[in-house]
Amino acid sequence: MKKPSGAVARLFGPSQNDEFARLLIQLANVGVECAAHFRVTEGQDLPGIIVFERRADKLVDQIHELLDNAFIMRFDLPDAMRLTDEIDDVIDGMRGAAAHIDIYKQYLSTLRPEARELLVTCERSIQALRNLVETLGNRKLSLTAVRDLTRAINEAESDADQIIARAERGLVAEFSAPGTRTLEFIALEKLYAMLEEMTDDAKRCGKLIISLARKEA
Protein backbone atom coordinates (compact mmCIF):
# COMPACT_ATOMS: atom_id res chain seq x y z
CA MET A 1 0.00 0.00 0.00
CA LYS A 2 1.36 3.39 -0.98
CA LYS A 3 2.09 5.69 1.96
CA PRO A 4 0.17 8.98 2.25
CA SER A 5 1.73 12.01 0.63
CA GLY A 6 3.80 14.43 2.68
CA ALA A 7 0.99 16.98 2.54
CA VAL A 8 -1.54 14.54 3.97
CA ALA A 9 0.92 13.41 6.63
CA ARG A 10 1.55 17.02 7.57
CA LEU A 11 -2.19 17.57 7.86
CA PHE A 12 -2.94 14.60 10.12
CA GLY A 13 0.25 13.14 11.48
CA PRO A 14 2.88 15.51 12.87
CA SER A 15 1.47 15.91 16.37
CA GLN A 16 1.28 12.13 16.83
CA ASN A 17 4.73 11.64 15.33
CA ASP A 18 6.22 14.29 17.60
CA GLU A 19 4.44 12.85 20.62
CA PHE A 20 5.68 9.35 19.83
CA ALA A 21 9.27 10.58 19.59
CA ARG A 22 8.90 12.60 22.80
CA LEU A 23 7.51 9.68 24.79
CA LEU A 24 10.09 7.25 23.42
CA ILE A 25 12.92 9.60 24.41
CA GLN A 26 11.39 9.83 27.89
CA LEU A 27 11.34 6.02 28.04
CA ALA A 28 15.00 5.84 27.02
CA ASN A 29 15.85 8.47 29.63
CA VAL A 30 14.22 6.32 32.31
CA GLY A 31 16.48 3.52 31.15
CA VAL A 32 19.56 5.73 31.56
CA GLU A 33 18.49 6.83 35.04
CA CYS A 34 17.73 3.25 36.04
CA ALA A 35 21.10 2.01 34.75
CA ALA A 36 22.95 4.72 36.70
CA HIS A 37 21.05 3.83 39.88
CA PHE A 38 21.71 0.14 39.31
CA ARG A 39 25.44 0.77 38.96
CA VAL A 40 25.70 3.10 41.97
CA THR A 41 23.77 0.73 44.24
CA GLU A 42 25.34 -2.37 42.65
CA GLY A 43 21.83 -3.73 42.13
CA GLN A 44 21.12 -3.89 45.87
CA ASP A 45 18.09 -1.56 45.75
CA LEU A 46 15.30 -3.67 44.27
CA PRO A 47 12.50 -1.30 45.43
CA GLY A 48 14.29 1.61 43.79
CA ILE A 49 14.66 -0.29 40.52
CA ILE A 50 10.97 -1.21 40.63
CA VAL A 51 10.11 2.51 40.83
CA PHE A 52 11.97 3.07 37.57
CA GLU A 53 10.30 0.06 35.98
CA ARG A 54 6.84 1.37 36.90
CA ARG A 55 7.67 4.76 35.41
CA ALA A 56 8.68 2.95 32.24
CA ASP A 57 5.48 0.88 32.21
CA LYS A 58 3.35 4.04 32.37
CA LEU A 59 5.21 5.49 29.41
CA VAL A 60 4.84 2.24 27.46
CA ASP A 61 1.08 2.31 28.13
CA GLN A 62 0.93 5.90 26.85
CA ILE A 63 2.87 4.99 23.71
CA HIS A 64 0.70 1.94 23.04
CA GLU A 65 -2.45 4.04 23.42
CA LEU A 66 -1.03 6.67 21.07
CA LEU A 67 -0.13 4.07 18.45
CA ASP A 68 -3.45 2.25 18.80
CA ASN A 69 -5.30 5.48 18.01
CA ALA A 70 -2.90 6.89 15.44
CA PHE A 71 -4.29 7.78 12.01
CA ILE A 72 -1.05 8.37 10.14
CA MET A 73 2.40 7.71 11.58
CA ARG A 74 5.81 8.44 10.20
CA PHE A 75 6.99 4.91 11.09
CA ASP A 76 5.13 1.67 10.47
CA LEU A 77 3.02 0.86 13.53
CA PRO A 78 4.44 -2.66 14.04
CA ASP A 79 7.99 -1.23 13.95
CA ALA A 80 7.07 1.51 16.43
CA MET A 81 5.38 -0.99 18.76
CA ARG A 82 8.31 -3.39 18.62
CA LEU A 83 10.88 -0.68 19.31
CA THR A 84 8.86 0.54 22.30
CA ASP A 85 8.65 -2.96 23.74
CA GLU A 86 12.35 -3.67 23.11
CA ILE A 87 13.41 -0.53 25.00
CA ASP A 88 11.07 -1.56 27.81
CA ASP A 89 12.74 -4.99 27.82
CA VAL A 90 16.07 -3.31 28.64
CA ILE A 91 14.53 -1.79 31.78
CA ASP A 92 12.71 -5.01 32.63
CA GLY A 93 16.09 -6.74 32.43
CA MET A 94 17.47 -4.48 35.14
CA ARG A 95 14.50 -5.27 37.36
CA GLY A 96 15.08 -8.98 36.76
CA ALA A 97 18.76 -8.71 37.62
CA ALA A 98 18.00 -6.71 40.78
CA ALA A 99 15.44 -9.33 41.81
CA HIS A 100 18.04 -12.06 41.24
CA ILE A 101 20.56 -10.20 43.41
CA ASP A 102 17.91 -9.83 46.12
CA ILE A 103 17.07 -13.55 46.04
CA TYR A 104 20.74 -14.58 46.24
CA LYS A 105 21.75 -11.72 48.51
CA GLN A 106 23.88 -13.92 50.77
CA TYR A 107 26.16 -14.55 47.78
CA LEU A 108 25.74 -11.25 45.93
CA SER A 109 25.66 -8.59 48.64
CA THR A 110 29.12 -7.59 47.44
CA LEU A 111 29.56 -7.86 43.69
CA ARG A 112 32.69 -9.27 42.14
CA PRO A 113 34.85 -7.08 39.87
CA GLU A 114 33.54 -8.75 36.71
CA ALA A 115 29.95 -7.94 37.70
CA ARG A 116 30.91 -4.32 38.33
CA GLU A 117 32.57 -4.18 34.91
CA LEU A 118 29.38 -5.51 33.34
CA LEU A 119 27.32 -2.89 35.17
CA VAL A 120 29.50 -0.12 33.74
CA THR A 121 29.27 -1.64 30.26
CA CYS A 122 25.48 -2.01 30.51
CA GLU A 123 25.13 1.61 31.51
CA ARG A 124 27.31 2.64 28.58
CA SER A 125 25.18 0.67 26.12
CA ILE A 126 21.96 2.17 27.49
CA GLN A 127 23.37 5.70 27.33
CA ALA A 128 24.32 5.05 23.70
CA LEU A 129 20.81 3.73 23.05
CA ARG A 130 19.29 6.91 24.48
CA ASN A 131 21.49 9.00 22.17
CA LEU A 132 20.26 6.92 19.25
CA VAL A 133 16.59 7.19 20.25
CA GLU A 134 16.93 10.98 20.36
CA THR A 135 17.48 10.98 16.57
CA LEU A 136 13.85 9.87 16.13
CA GLY A 137 12.88 13.44 16.92
CA ASN A 138 14.72 14.68 13.82
CA ARG A 139 12.70 15.55 10.73
CA LYS A 140 14.42 12.72 8.86
CA LEU A 141 16.69 9.93 10.02
CA SER A 142 20.21 9.93 8.61
CA LEU A 143 21.28 6.36 7.94
CA THR A 144 24.94 7.35 8.28
CA ALA A 145 24.38 9.11 11.61
CA VAL A 146 22.26 6.24 12.93
CA ARG A 147 24.95 3.72 11.99
CA ASP A 148 27.60 5.81 13.74
CA LEU A 149 25.55 6.01 16.94
CA THR A 150 24.68 2.32 16.78
CA ARG A 151 28.38 1.49 16.69
CA ALA A 152 28.72 2.61 20.34
CA ILE A 153 26.00 0.15 21.37
CA ASN A 154 27.64 -2.66 19.44
CA GLU A 155 31.03 -1.92 20.99
CA ALA A 156 29.53 -2.08 24.49
CA GLU A 157 27.86 -5.39 23.64
CA SER A 158 31.17 -6.77 22.34
CA ASP A 159 32.95 -5.64 25.51
CA ALA A 160 30.28 -7.35 27.61
CA ASP A 161 30.84 -10.59 25.68
CA GLN A 162 34.55 -10.46 26.51
CA ILE A 163 33.90 -9.73 30.18
CA ILE A 164 31.44 -12.59 30.57
CA ALA A 165 33.76 -15.03 28.79
CA ARG A 166 36.53 -14.14 31.23
CA ALA A 167 34.13 -14.32 34.19
CA GLU A 168 32.82 -17.74 33.18
CA ARG A 169 36.33 -19.14 32.80
CA GLY A 170 37.01 -17.94 36.33
CA LEU A 171 33.86 -19.60 37.64
CA VAL A 172 34.76 -22.92 36.03
CA ALA A 173 38.22 -22.80 37.59
CA GLU A 174 36.82 -21.88 41.01
CA PHE A 175 33.82 -24.19 41.23
CA SER A 176 34.83 -27.28 39.24
CA ALA A 177 36.15 -29.22 42.23
CA PRO A 178 33.73 -31.64 43.99
CA GLY A 179 31.92 -30.22 47.01
CA THR A 180 32.11 -26.59 45.91
CA ARG A 181 29.33 -24.09 46.59
CA THR A 182 26.67 -24.90 43.97
CA LEU A 183 24.23 -22.13 44.90
CA GLU A 184 26.94 -19.50 44.79
CA PHE A 185 27.96 -20.71 41.34
CA ILE A 186 24.34 -20.50 40.14
CA ALA A 187 23.95 -17.01 41.63
CA LEU A 188 27.07 -15.69 39.92
CA GLU A 189 26.68 -17.43 36.56
CA LYS A 190 23.07 -16.32 36.14
CA LEU A 191 23.84 -12.76 37.21
CA TYR A 192 26.59 -12.44 34.61
CA ALA A 193 24.25 -13.78 31.94
CA MET A 194 21.44 -11.38 32.91
CA LEU A 195 23.73 -8.36 32.84
CA GLU A 196 25.16 -9.35 29.47
CA GLU A 197 21.64 -9.81 28.11
CA MET A 198 20.93 -6.12 28.74
CA THR A 199 23.57 -5.18 26.18
CA ASP A 200 22.02 -7.68 23.75
CA ASP A 201 18.63 -6.00 24.26
CA ALA A 202 20.16 -2.58 23.58
CA LYS A 203 21.80 -3.93 20.43
CA ARG A 204 18.45 -5.22 19.17
CA CYS A 205 16.99 -1.74 19.65
CA GLY A 206 19.84 -0.32 17.60
CA LYS A 207 19.11 -2.75 14.77
CA LEU A 208 15.46 -1.70 14.77
CA ILE A 209 16.34 1.99 14.48
CA ILE A 210 18.75 1.23 11.63
CA SER A 211 15.84 -0.53 9.91
CA LEU A 212 13.68 2.59 10.37
CA ALA A 213 16.44 4.75 8.91
CA ARG A 214 16.79 2.45 5.87
CA LYS A 215 13.07 2.78 5.18
CA GLU A 216 13.39 6.56 5.18
CA ALA A 217 16.54 6.62 3.05
Side-chain angles (χ1 to χ4, degrees), residues 8 23 26 34 43 47 64 95-97 99 107 121 137 141 144 155 157 172 186-188 198 208:
V8 174
L23 289 171
Q26 284 188 26
C34 186
H64 283 179
R95 191 258 173 87
Y107 305 111
T121 305
L141 290 175
T144 300
E155 288 172 355
E157 189 268 342
V172 170
I186 293 171
L188 290 165
M198 292 180 209
L208 284 172

Side-chain angles (χ1 to χ4, degrees), residues 115-143:
R116 294 194 189 100
E117 287 183 69
L118 283 169
L119 287 180
V120 171
T121 305
C122 289
E123 184 179 10
R124 179 156 56 90
S125 72
I126 294 168
Q127 288 172 337
L129 174 59
R130 187 270 311 276
N131 295 340
L132 183 58
V133 170
E134 285 179 340
T135 65
L136 297 177
N138 297 342
R139 186 171 296 275
K140 183 177 180 180
L141 290 175
S142 164
L143 183 55

Side-chain angles (χ1 to χ4, degrees), residues 15-215:
S15 62
Q16 292 174 319
N17 292 327
D18 293 345
E19 182 67 2
F20 170 68
R22 185 184 70 82
L23 289 171
L24 206 65
I25 291 168
Q26 284 188 26
L27 181 62
N29 281 333
V30 172
V32 169
E33 294 174 36
C34 186
H37 185 73
F38 198 109
R39 174 183 54 78
V40 169
T41 63
E42 295 194 348
Q44 306 295 326
D45 181 20
L46 176 58
I49 297 296
I50 290 174
V51 169
F52 286 108
E53 184 202 30
R54 288 177 177 167
R55 282 175 55 193
D57 287 343
K58 289 180 181 178
L59 286 166
V60 170
D61 288 344
Q62 287 180 259
I63 295 170
H64 283 179
E65 183 177 1
L66 174 71
L67 296 176
D68 286 341
N69 294 289
F71 177 64
I72 295 174
M73 289 294 294
R74 171 186 178 184
F75 305 118
D76 290 339
L77 289 179
D79 291 341
M81 284 282 194
R82 186 180 172 197
L83 178 58
T84 301
D85 292 341
E86 290 282 2
I87 295 173
D88 187 45
D89 284 346
V90 176
I91 300 168
D92 288 343
M94 285 185 271
R95 191 258 173 87
H100 176 75
I101 290 172
D102 188 66
I103 292 168
Y104 289 92
K105 189 175 287 290
Q106 68 183 100
Y107 305 111
L108 301 174
S109 58
T110 301
L111 297 187
R112 294 188 174 197
E114 292 84 0
R116 294 194 189 100
E117 287 183 69
L118 283 169
L119 287 180
V120 171
T121 305
C122 289
E123 184 179 10
R124 179 156 56 90
S125 72
I126 294 168
Q127 288 172 337
L129 174 59
R130 187 270 311 276
N131 295 340
L132 183 58
V133 170
E134 285 179 340
T135 65
L136 297 177
N138 297 342
R139 186 171 296 275
K140 183 177 180 180
L141 290 175
S142 164
L143 183 55
T144 300
V146 166
R147 280 175 173 159
D148 288 342
L149 289 168
T150 303
R151 192 171 297 115
I153 301 174
N154 295 342
E155 288 172 355
E157 189 268 342
S158 178
D159 290 346
D161 286 344
Q162 293 179 37
I163 294 167
I164 196 171
R166 170 164 40 90
E168 288 178 341
R169 283 194 294 270
L171 290 180
V172 170
E174 181 179 351
F175 292 94
S176 58
T180 52
R181 305 168 304 282
T182 303
L183 279 178
E184 185 175 1
F185 173 84
I186 293 171
L188 290 165
E189 191 275 336
K190 186 173 181 180
L191 175 63
Y192 295 153
M194 295 176 84
L195 295 177
E196 192 270 340
E197 178 64 22
M198 292 180 209
T199 65
D200 290 340
D201 289 339
K203 185 175 181 178
R204 280 192 287 273
C205 293
K207 288 181 177 179
L208 284 172
I209 296 176
I210 286 179
S211 177
L212 295 179
R214 285 198 182 105
K215 290 178 181 180

